[in-house]
Amino acid sequence: MPKVVHTIAELHKILQPLWRKGEPVGFVPTMGALHAGHISLMKLSKAAGNVLTVVSVFVNPLQFAPGEDYDEYPRDLGGDVKVAREAVVDVVFAPSVAEMYPRGFVTWADQDKLTEKMCGEHRPGHFRGVLTVVLKLLNIVRPTHAYFGQKDYQQSVVIQRMVTDLNLEAKIHVCPIVREADGLAMSSRNAYLGPKHRIEALVLHQALVRAQELVAGGEKNVKKLHAEIKRIIGTAKSAKIDYIAIVHPDTLEDVNDVSGKTVFAVAARFGKTRLIDNVIVE
Amino acid sequence: MPKVVHTIAELHKILQPLWRKGEPVGFVPTMGALHAGHISLMKLSKAAGNVLTVVSVFVNPLQFAPGEDYDEYPRDLGGDVKVAREAVVDVVFAPSVAEMYPRGFVTWADQDKLTEKMCGEHRPGHFRGVLTVVLKLLNIVRPTHAYFGQKDYQQSVVIQRMVTDLNLEAKIHVCPIVREADGLAMSSRNAYLGPKHRIEALVLHQALVRAQELVAGGEKNVKKLHAEIKRIIGTAKSAKIDYIAIVHPDTLEDVNDVSGKTVFAVAARFGKTRLIDNVIVE
């Protein structure tokens, strides 16, 4: 069984001896509702030879924009601990909101440029919340390696940039998207989908696969690729597109044509459920 | 002679063995133009038993508001190294702007509330720049103890709050103001003062001493104390007051009366030179 700790002090008691010895520590930050995507991150941490892997389970209020699903977000620590046990994770760190943001808390981290588009444009304050909590968690856990899912592609770029800009020590690993058998990207928010939306949501993956095929076939024209992604997502009646982005993998700037490594990222709502997906085309 | 290093990589070569052994490292962040105030911080670090003391010398462009004295700010690394040698400091870290803010740098730290008044109100963006550079420097040096001057009182509160909020490890020490023989608080900006303004600037200290005397004599009325400080600063013809603050030492909120520990802080301009001073009244 993993050790479940709720306070920073308890966690530090476990980590202190490892820091001192310079032992590699792996870290997987999550908001819980753990699924196969999270499990893959935990397993990658174990396989990489980290002597200890910490999974944090914390539904971070700061990263939910006004009107979003903070209250509804699935919470099941008991279930998460079971998942962590199966992944042979050593420590589950599940702090309270008061432990993370005590009375008088006023400090935050944020970014220009990278956070202004895609999910940042549609979720005001989201990345400020993400950067602040990840900065805190990296300072609390002081891992050698931290594992993030490629599913939140913009998040992974933003975090990597913060780690570079703020001279943090952790090495950031961005790990492949894990999908359901039919292609839907794993997400804790998939649990919100009713049967109709669950089927319709497949258009995201289908559109990205189609774009990838077109690029493989020689298509470089961004407008055509964008139109084709839009068309395929549009085949789902309930789909409301937040954005279709065809961008540089590091700068997240729109590319003029698909020549080098390019990220295709999409966000759309199916009913009340907002889903994202992406593919990196080399 | 202290070792003078210009890159993070060089600095880390020196620090790595100490981090590993868990040895205490002291840190004094400065913008150079070192004076007796800085020397007192270095000596406190040495006296506290830190096995190594690092002084950083970096004129941080981010913390100068538009139109401020970034270009004119005194720079004399040779002189600073001499001062550091006298203080028996081990390492002078003098990075370039490009080393601290490389191409693509977009991340920053900031705060609500504490930064909104006093110097924050009069120097837009100042504390965002201070917090960002101090966060970076603390991550680069990873000191056990960091030493700041009480002269920048609001800065010391803001930094202590950031260290708490972001779960940083360094212990922050706020060290007494060092003054010229006639009472003027030591500041690199004193070098800007012509003879007339140099004499007039004494009103800051005089006003604070007078407030302290009045409180010692039983005066608790904030309006009366404020008026008396204003009157004394006003005796200097060229003085233009930025603010007179009578505030709680931790929250920096205006107090209703001087009953508990209270900070009296002032900022005023003499010609083009902006000076600050403060006193903590128990």
Side-chain angles (χ1 to χ4, degrees), chain A residues 1-7 10-11 14 55 57 77-78 80-82 84-85 89-95:
Chain A
M1 280 294 283
K3 209 167 159 53
V4 181
V5 298
H6 298 281
T7 66
E10 287 172 277
L11 182 66
I14 297 169
V55 172
V57 172
L77 185 58
D80 291 339
V81 171
K82 271 191 204 161
R85 184 180 57 193
V89 146
D90 307 284
V91 179
V92 174
F93 175 51

Side-chain angles (χ1 to χ4, degrees), chain B residues 60-126:
Chain B
N60 173 34
L62 258 57
Q63 74 188 69
F64 288 79
E68 285 189 355
D69 54 343
Y70 174 65
D71 289 330
E72 292 77 43
Y73 200 86
R75 289 164 173 87
D76 174 18
L77 185 59
D80 290 341
V81 171
K82 271 190 204 162
V83 173
R85 184 180 58 193
E86 279 162 37
V88 209
V89 147
D90 307 284
V91 179
V92 174
F93 175 51
S96 67
V97 171
E99 180 77 0
M100 290 296 281
Y101 304 119
R103 217 178 112 82
F105 184 93
V106 285
T107 311
W108 35 274
D110 206 346
Q111 253 172 20
D112 297 318
K113 289 187 185 162
L114 294 175
T115 59
E116 286 161 13
K117 52 186 318 218
M118 297 166 65
C119 287
E121 193 181 336
H122 292 272
R123 306 185 67 188
H126 171 65

Side-chain angles (χ1 to χ4, degrees), chain A residues 7-274:
Chain A
T7 66
I8 295 164
E10 287 172 277
L11 182 66
H12 280 192
K13 256 187 220 163
I14 297 169
L15 291 172
Q16 203 93 50
L18 302 175
W19 294 335
R20 276 293 159 84
K21 281 190 253 171
E23 300 276 21
V25 171
F27 177 45
V28 181
T30 83
M31 297 210 302
L34 300 180
H35 52 64
H38 298 116
I39 293 170
S40 78
L41 302 179
M42 299 177 210
K43 288 194 170 162
L44 282 164
S45 176
K46 296 298 289 186
N50 292 302
V51 300
L52 188 121
T53 294
V54 178
V55 172
S56 65
V57 172
F58 179 62
V59 184
N60 174 34
L62 257 55
Q63 74 188 71
F64 289 79
E68 285 189 357
D69 55 344
Y70 174 65
D71 290 331
E72 293 77 44
Y73 200 87
R75 288 164 174 87
D76 174 17
L77 185 58
D80 291 339
V81 171
K82 271 191 204 161
V83 173
R85 184 180 57 193
E86 279 162 37
V88 209
V89 146
D90 307 284
V91 179
V92 174
F93 175 51
S96 66
V97 171
E99 180 77 358
M100 291 296 280
Y101 304 119
R103 214 177 114 83
F105 184 92
V106 286
T107 311
W108 35 275
D110 207 345
Q111 253 171 19
D112 296 317
K113 290 187 184 160
L114 294 174
T115 59
E116 286 161 13
K117 52 186 320 217
M118 297 166 65
C119 287
E121 193 181 335
H122 292 271
R123 306 185 68 188
H126 171 64
F127 283 115
R128 170 171 153 169
V130 168
L131 287 168
T132 303
V133 79
V134 171
L135 179 55
K136 279 177 65 73
L137 287 168
L138 290 176
N139 287 338
I140 289 167
V141 179
R142 286 184 253 164
T144 329
H145 301 274
Y147 300 84
F148 294 84
Q150 185 201 309
K151 208 260 291 165
D152 300 274
Y153 186 80
Q154 185 177 16
Q155 172 178 278
S156 75
V157 172
V158 159
I159 287 169
Q160 177 58 68
R161 187 74 234 181
M162 173 175 75
V163 165
T164 302
D165 284 353
L166 297 184
N167 309 93
L168 298 168
E169 273 306 289
K171 183 161 168 41
I172 301 299
H173 301 266
V174 183
C175 309
I177 298 176
V178 178
R179 298 180 180 280
E180 302 283 359
D182 60 7
L184 183 71
M186 293 278 183
S187 165
S188 304
R189 290 192 170 96
N190 291 349
Y192 298 150
L193 295 166
K196 189 189 75 168
H197 290 151
R198 173 64 185 78
I199 291 167
E200 290 198 332
L202 290 177
V203 293
L204 297 181
H205 180 53
Q206 285 161 359
L208 294 171
V209 168
R210 177 74 182 134
Q212 205 167 15
E213 285 167 1
L214 288 171
V215 173
E219 186 60 77
K220 294 182 191 306
N221 187 301
V222 167
K223 275 194 181 169
K224 283 188 192 164
L225 291 161
H226 188 286
E228 183 62 3
I229 293 170
K230 191 174 173 183
R231 187 190 66 74
I232 294 175
I233 297 178
T235 62
K237 274 192 185 150
S238 66
K240 296 217 175 354
I241 295 171
D242 260 8
Y243 64 79
I244 297 166
I246 305 177
V247 297
H248 186 280
D250 300 325
T251 65
L252 303 181
E253 280 170 18
D254 291 333
V255 295
N256 294 321
D257 55 64
V258 182
S259 43
K261 194 174 165 186
T262 303
V263 175
F264 290 72
V266 295
R269 280 165 290 125
F270 299 85
K272 284 184 180 174
T273 307
R274 185 177 180 280

